[in-house]
Amino acid sequence: MEGYDYNHNDGKIHTRYTDLVRCTEGQVLTVAEEMLCGRQRFNGSVTSFGRVRHEMFAEESLETGRTPECFRELDVELSLRCIEREFEMEVFPGVVVHSRTDGYAPDIEMVVDYKTCTRAEDINKYKNSRQHLMYALQLMNKGFSVKGALYLGEIWDAKREKPLGYCQMQKEITIQDLLKFRNEWLKDRCERLVVAINVLKGGKK
């Protein structure tokens, strides 16, 4: 996240889900170096465009307390809580993961996440995303009930000059999904990051 400060001076490693996604065997040292040096990763034009649209959606939702009006085309008009709320959770001893939700719809007990895409079918790729599982863990840690995720997509032309329509996809979240995510993928990525940071710190001594 642009402008994110990793230095909390509490002796713990603070990271974000988006960083953990990049903690593959080939990239984890780069992620660790960025965190230790305070460098931000490069963001391309597509990423920047998506961020701008998210900011516009957030501004409207913060003002109205509801999903953006444009999604009424999908017959989606929901009350929202936790709009752009920053969560932090110590998922393993000494490792704190931060993330920010687009929103949470209490009436249907779902995480709401906005996406920009170029085709309606693109929204279906988020069925396999782990990001909504991270959101669910953090929301549940604060006492919210989470039964699933609702992805709301805005379809744009290739030049990103005008929206062409809207799409949506719902994904159920089960306790089994959350346990598998936490005990396998999340644990593995956090362990990789801890080792990489310790290796880099050791090399500077």
Side-chain angles (χ1 to χ4, degrees):
M1 179 181 177
E2 188 175 357
Y4 180 67
D5 181 12
Y6 291 102
N7 300 311
H8 291 258
N9 299 317
D10 58 4
K12 299 177 182 179
I13 294 173
H14 288 257
T15 187
R16 303 190 74 81
Y17 169 82
T18 49
D19 293 320
L20 293 175
V21 170
R22 298 169 58 223
C23 286
T24 62
E25 291 183 4
Q27 286 188 286
V28 65
L29 284 172
T30 300
V31 175
E33 186 175 15
E34 289 172 355
M35 293 174 63
L36 291 174
C37 298
R39 291 205 309 266
Q40 299 297 324
R41 65 171 173 150
F42 171 76
N43 286 315
S45 59
V46 174
T47 304
S48 297
F49 175 79
R51 185 168 58 246
V52 169
R53 288 301 293 152
H54 270 75
E55 290 173 354
M56 295 172 71
F57 289 148
E59 184 177 351
E60 180 180 344
S61 291
L62 285 168
E63 182 176 335
T64 65
R66 307 186 71 81
T67 46
E69 185 175 354
C70 61
F71 293 112
R72 291 181 183 175
E73 186 172 315
L74 300 172
D75 292 325
V76 174
E77 187 178 3
L78 296 166
S79 297
L80 293 180
R81 296 182 62 185
C82 304
I83 301 167
E84 287 294 299
R85 177 171 170 179
E86 182 79 12
F87 287 91
E88 62 177 71
M89 178 181 177
E90 188 166 0
V91 293
F92 298 103
V95 181
V96 180
V97 177
H98 296 247
S99 64
R100 182 175 295 176
T101 54
D102 289 343
Y104 168 75
D107 293 342
I108 58 174
E109 297 184 340
M110 284 191 171
V111 180
V112 175
D113 201 2
Y114 307 126
K115 299 295 181 184
T116 54
C117 47
T118 55
R119 302 177 305 168
E121 55 266 33
D122 289 347
I123 199 73
N124 292 319
K125 68 183 180 182
Y126 296 105
K127 286 182 179 179
N128 299 319
S129 174
R130 298 180 181 90
Q131 188 166 26
H132 56 259
L133 298 175
M134 188 71 248
Y135 291 149
L137 278 180
Q138 294 182 310
L139 282 160
M140 292 172 75
N141 187 53
K142 296 296 184 182
F144 294 94
S145 174
V146 180
K147 294 181 178 178
L150 172 63
Y151 286 92
L152 298 174
E154 186 173 61
I155 307 165
W156 284 78
D157 65 336
K159 294 183 179 180
R160 297 187 292 281
E161 293 178 341
K162 60 180 179 179
L164 303 177
Y166 299 88
C167 53
Q168 65 175 310
M169 186 274 294
Q170 292 188 20
K171 174 67 175 179
E172 181 186 12
I173 297 175
T174 67
I175 293 298
Q176 290 76 15
D177 293 332
L178 293 172
L179 288 173
K180 182 178 176 63
F181 167 70
R182 183 190 182 280
N183 295 333
E184 295 181 14
W185 188 90
L186 186 58
K187 182 174 184 289
D188 177 68
R189 295 304 172 100
C190 288
E191 287 178 347
R192 286 185 191 180
L193 183 58
V194 169
V195 170
I197 287 176
N198 288 339
V199 165
L200 292 177
K201 285 183 175 179
K204 294 180 180 180
K205 293 181 179 179

